[in-house]
Amino acid sequence: MDPDLRDRVAERPSGARGSRTRPQGRGQVLAADLSGGMDSTSLCFLAVRAGASLVTATLEWAASGNEDSAYAEQAAAHLPGIQRLVCGPADLPAYFTGLGQPHEPDDEPTVLVRDRAQQQYIADAMRAAGAELRLTGHGGDHVVEAPDQYLHRLLRRHPVRGIRHAAGQRARHHWALRSAVRTLTDTSSYQAWLNGVADALNRPGDPGAAPTGWGAPLALPPWAGRLAVEHVAHLLRQAARTAEPVVHERGRHAWIQQAQTAGRLAGNIFHSTPGGAQGASPFCDDAVINACLAVSASATKNPWTYKPLLAEAMRGLVPEPILARTSKDHSGKEWYAGLTLHQAQLADWAADSRLVARGLADGPELKRAFLSPRMLDLGAHALEATLAVEAWLRDLEACPTPTYLREHADEPAHAR
């Protein structure tokens, strides 16, 4: 690999907002999430190799069959001298704790309303242990592995290999054959894709559909109001008149878009946990992103291995069982428990929704989604995104001018 991804990640523990901080040698205390996943675990080994003293956090989820903590234990056995914080569900604030409390708004909504209180608890504990910088694996999923749109180019450049990859990905993700064929043979322009997305914003999604077009699927949930559908569709059609893709190859465009999204969200993560150790997301650094993009997309993703680019970069440093892991755990049980615990708050929000008041959400549909999340068939993301916007609107009411804007209110515009 040229340039070497391991060196790029090791040398670039920078924050999404441009801060540059590197381990200065033995004695510096760094914090990191030792989740058991490949991204964050790799950062732990790189930090220790750099000579830092390490404080790690491992979260143990309650779902049966959850493997994260077992992989974290394997990693910890190869990281002597680290200081570990191991937390189970009973040790942490429940998901959605603080949902009704106003917070200083960031410049956009953030889905971190889900675990803001948990992350604050962990950040405070790491800071108390002396950590000066917290490394997170955020962005690894977005950067070191190309999106499924990589198949579009692979089929055209290397048809036999492309067909094998497409068949493997279809089996792995349970794509319907007709949908997969239609998607992979599509040659529509970026502008045509944007117009198509605008036309289908409020149509029910097909769980067996293969990834389409030039980016992540875009759709509005069933509780979106007519005004929201019309406004978003208008913006998409307006953009389609002049918009150009980042690059004129849909797989690489989607990959770069993923990386940009990761960097934006990284900024939200650290803004939402004030007072803790300074944060850094090395995978979101430009040098790391460029190192990944320099590799053929099909070398970063295939149906038979998990994150092959990162695994190869970390081979010999991270234990092989972790690099060979193909599973990815979740905290779904805790997610539903948090919603149930805060059902009264959600009922209040549904009855007095800022989104409904602005015509952006349908009141009865939104109430059904808030109070019966287990009945949803579109996953957690849409509901979390809606809660994020609702919370953000309420935070703006409570704090129309956040501190980070007040600090520069008296500066001339050219100095900001």
Side-chain angles (χ1 to χ4, degrees):
M1 180 185 312
D2 185 24
D4 182 76
L5 179 60
R6 183 195 295 188
D7 289 343
R8 294 293 191 189
V9 177
E11 293 173 359
R12 300 288 181 172
S14 65
R17 298 186 176 184
S19 61
R20 297 275 177 180
T21 310
R22 301 185 184 185
Q24 300 299 315
R26 298 190 180 279
Q28 184 183 21
V29 182
L30 299 183
D33 301 309
L34 184 58
S35 67
M38 194 186 299
D39 303 332
S40 61
T41 302
S42 295
L43 294 182
C44 291
F45 279 88
L46 289 169
V48 169
R49 188 187 70 161
S53 298
L54 193 62
V55 179
T56 67
T58 301
L59 307 186
E60 296 182 333
W61 304 120
S64 60
N66 194 305
E67 299 177 312
D68 274 353
S69 57
Y71 280 101
E73 291 296 329
Q74 288 187 49
H78 293 82
L79 293 167
I82 65 172
Q83 181 179 346
R84 297 193 66 195
L85 305 172
V86 181
C87 304
D91 303 315
L92 296 168
Y95 273 163
F96 302 104
T97 292
L99 194 61
Q101 300 170 4
H103 296 85
E104 186 169 87
D106 206 339
D107 52 5
E108 65 178 333
T110 170
V111 295
L112 293 172
V113 294
R114 176 207 332 144
D115 61 346
R116 188 199 307 266
Q118 285 188 3
Q119 291 303 317
Q120 187 67 62
Y121 176 92
I122 295 167
D124 290 344
M126 289 174 161
R127 183 71 172 178
E132 306 166 40
L133 177 73
R134 181 181 180 183
L135 306 177
T136 78
H138 175 76
D141 289 337
H142 304 72
V143 172
V144 302
E145 198 172 45
D148 290 321
Q149 282 87 351
Y150 85 98
L151 292 169
H152 197 266
R153 180 179 178 87
L154 184 62
L155 275 167
R156 286 152 180 77
R157 297 286 296 270
H158 306 284
V160 174
R161 189 178 175 200
I163 290 172
R164 289 184 63 245
H165 273 238
Q169 297 290 13
R170 176 178 169 253
R172 183 174 183 177
H173 299 296
H174 309 290
W175 295 335
L177 177 59
R178 180 176 296 180
S179 170
V181 171
R182 183 172 60 249
T183 295
L184 296 172
T185 57
D186 174 59
T187 58
S188 60
S189 67
Y190 181 57
Q191 292 77 13
W193 175 68
L194 287 174
N195 281 315
V197 170
D199 293 338
L201 272 176
N202 59 343
R203 293 178 192 169
D206 179 0
T212 59
W214 290 75
L218 297 175
L220 292 174
W223 53 85
R226 179 182 56 82
L227 184 61
V229 175
E230 291 176 353
H231 188 57
V232 174
H234 171 72
L235 290 174
L236 286 167
R237 293 190 183 101
Q238 190 176 47
R241 296 173 189 166
T242 57
E244 294 290 337
V246 180
V247 292
H248 288 276
E249 190 272 296
R250 65 179 63 191
R252 187 156 292 266
H253 168 86
W255 196 0
I256 294 171
Q257 187 181 55
Q258 275 190 174
Q260 292 172 333
T261 299
R264 194 180 78 249
L265 294 178
N268 288 339
I269 289 173
F270 300 119
H271 179 266
S272 297
T273 52
Q278 182 186 6
S281 297
F283 287 107
C284 295
D285 191 274
D286 286 349
V288 177
I289 294 170
N290 288 334
C292 293
L293 291 173
V295 180
S296 167
S298 60
T300 74
K301 185 165 187 171
N302 66 60
W304 308 283
T305 58
Y306 183 59
K307 295 185 179 176
L309 179 64
L310 184 60
E312 182 61 29
M314 299 299 163
R315 187 152 283 119
L317 177 65
V318 176
E320 196 62 32
I322 295 171
L323 298 181
R325 183 181 182 184
T326 58
S327 60
K328 189 175 180 67
D329 285 329
H330 60 82
S331 53
K333 186 173 182 178
E334 288 76 14
W335 189 83
Y336 284 112
L339 288 176
T340 300
L341 181 64
H342 297 94
Q343 198 164 55
Q345 179 66 53
L346 292 172
D348 288 344
W349 276 20
D352 186 29
S353 168
R354 304 310 191 256
L355 285 166
V356 173
R358 287 165 172 79
L360 300 176
D362 176 85
E365 288 288 345
L366 184 66
K367 181 177 180 180
R368 187 176 296 113
F370 277 5
L371 301 185
S372 304
R374 290 185 182 274
M375 301 297 290
L376 301 177
D377 59 0
L378 70 170
H381 176 74
L383 181 57
E384 284 195 342
T386 302
L387 287 171
V389 179
E390 181 72 35
W392 187 70
L393 291 173
R394 291 169 180 269
D395 289 344
L396 281 174
E397 288 180 4
C399 183
T401 307
T403 301
Y404 61 87
L405 292 180
R406 291 198 300 270
E407 290 174 348
H408 303 289
D410 297 329
E411 293 181 7
H414 68 271
R416 296 177 195 171

